[in-house]
Amino acid sequence: MCGKLAGKVVVVTGGGTGIGLGIARSCASEGAAVVIAQLRAAVAEEAAAGLRAEGARALGLGCDVRHREEVRALIDEAARRLGPVDVLINNAALTGTTAAPRPFLEESDEHWREVIEVNLNGAFICTQEAARHMVARGAGGSIVNISSVAQYAAQEHAAPYCAAKAALDGLTKTAAIELAPHGIRVNAVAPGDIDTAASHSVVADAASHGASGRFFRVTPLGRRGSPEEVGAVVAFLASDQAAFVTGATWLVDGGFLSY
């Protein structure tokens, strides 16, 4: 199989559904062998089976990104079964209705920690473990963090989510400068309004939880994006075509933040 990721092994956390699955499909279409990691192993394997049916090399594995030993086992198993990991996509996150949005004054310590643990700490653990693997291999690599327009624009009832995504920008830049001597590039992609099961009714869901709706933006391109459109940009950043791109966040938002 040819493509800009031919011969590379790509790990996509949260790759079994939504944006993550779109990313996995895009990477597979560009020739990568793809490891789909998901909290629920059955979901990961179902998605991987779908990619294999389309001719891709794909593996589904269960992994809770909050736990370092599981992440380390994920990287080791991916390398054992498909080859050394060249690319990590940090996509696993609590988002949309799964993030259980709530008003700021009703935010609890427990919920705050839960969102931060998955959306920020999980990305840190995965980045560190993948980078250690890449450094030991000595062939460089690429890491792409899936952020959100929420790292720039606040959203009602989403304090921990917005905080985690804003912090992910700092993690991306810091990792980029420290890993550059090892030939490892670290970038981020910030999707806007993407049509997934988790966000399909985001406006109605926000209103049902008491959000005012005054701060929703209109996407200038006049439609919602698709997971595969995010995946196409991720695949480019993961590839050698983006060899001089690191420490950057690319917007995939249909103009959402243009005004």
Side-chain angles (χ1 to χ4, degrees):
M1 184 179 289
C2 59
K4 62 174 64 75
L5 293 175
K8 295 187 182 296
V9 174
V10 177
V11 173
V12 185
T13 68
T17 60
I19 289 175
L21 182 54
I23 291 169
R25 284 174 174 153
S26 295
C27 291
S29 72
E30 291 293 345
V34 178
V35 179
I36 294 175
Q38 194 83 14
L39 182 60
R40 293 175 293 168
V43 174
E45 177 50 34
E46 181 180 1
L51 293 182
R52 290 195 296 270
E54 297 170 3
R57 294 176 66 207
L59 174 65
L61 296 173
C63 180
D64 187 336
V65 297
R66 297 171 296 181
H67 300 305
R68 186 175 294 275
E69 64 276 11
E70 293 193 30
V71 173
R72 189 175 294 132
L74 167 69
I75 299 297
D76 289 346
E77 185 69 0
R80 185 182 73 82
R81 296 178 63 176
L82 293 179
V85 174
D86 302 286
V87 178
L88 167 71
I89 312 298
N90 279 314
N91 172 75
L94 295 176
T95 185
T97 55
T98 64
R102 61 192 66 185
F104 181 77
L105 292 178
E106 297 176 16
E107 188 61 67
S108 67
D109 292 347
E110 293 75 19
H111 180 253
W112 176 276
R113 292 190 188 102
E114 180 183 18
V115 176
I116 297 297
E117 276 288 322
V118 177
N119 294 16
L120 178 60
N121 295 355
F124 159 68
I125 292 170
C126 290
T127 296
Q128 193 176 60
E129 290 301 325
R132 287 170 172 166
H133 170 85
M134 293 171 184
V135 169
R137 182 189 177 200
S142 177
I143 297 170
V144 183
N145 296 320
I146 305 306
S147 183
S148 166
V149 290
Q151 81 173 54
Y152 301 107
Q155 299 175 0
E156 286 184 288
H157 297 187
Y161 180 80
C162 292
K165 293 303 185 181
L168 194 58
D169 181 61
L171 175 63
T172 298
K173 289 180 170 63
T174 301
I177 62 172
E178 293 203 38
L179 297 177
H182 301 286
I184 301 170
R185 297 180 299 104
V186 186
N187 292 290
V189 169
D193 186 13
I194 307 300
D195 193 7
T196 67
S199 65
H200 190 70
S201 58
V202 62
V203 175
D205 290 341
S208 71
H209 286 88
S212 71
R214 294 194 302 270
F215 307 105
F216 285 118
R217 293 172 182 247
V218 174
T219 300
L221 285 182
R223 64 176 178 84
R224 308 184 81 181
S226 72
E228 287 74 19
E229 287 174 313
V230 178
V233 177
V234 172
F236 166 73
L237 289 174
S239 77
D240 294 338
Q241 292 182 2
F244 201 56
V245 181
T246 196
T249 297
W250 285 43
L251 292 173
V252 185
D253 69 346
F256 187 86
L257 291 179
S258 295
Y259 66 96

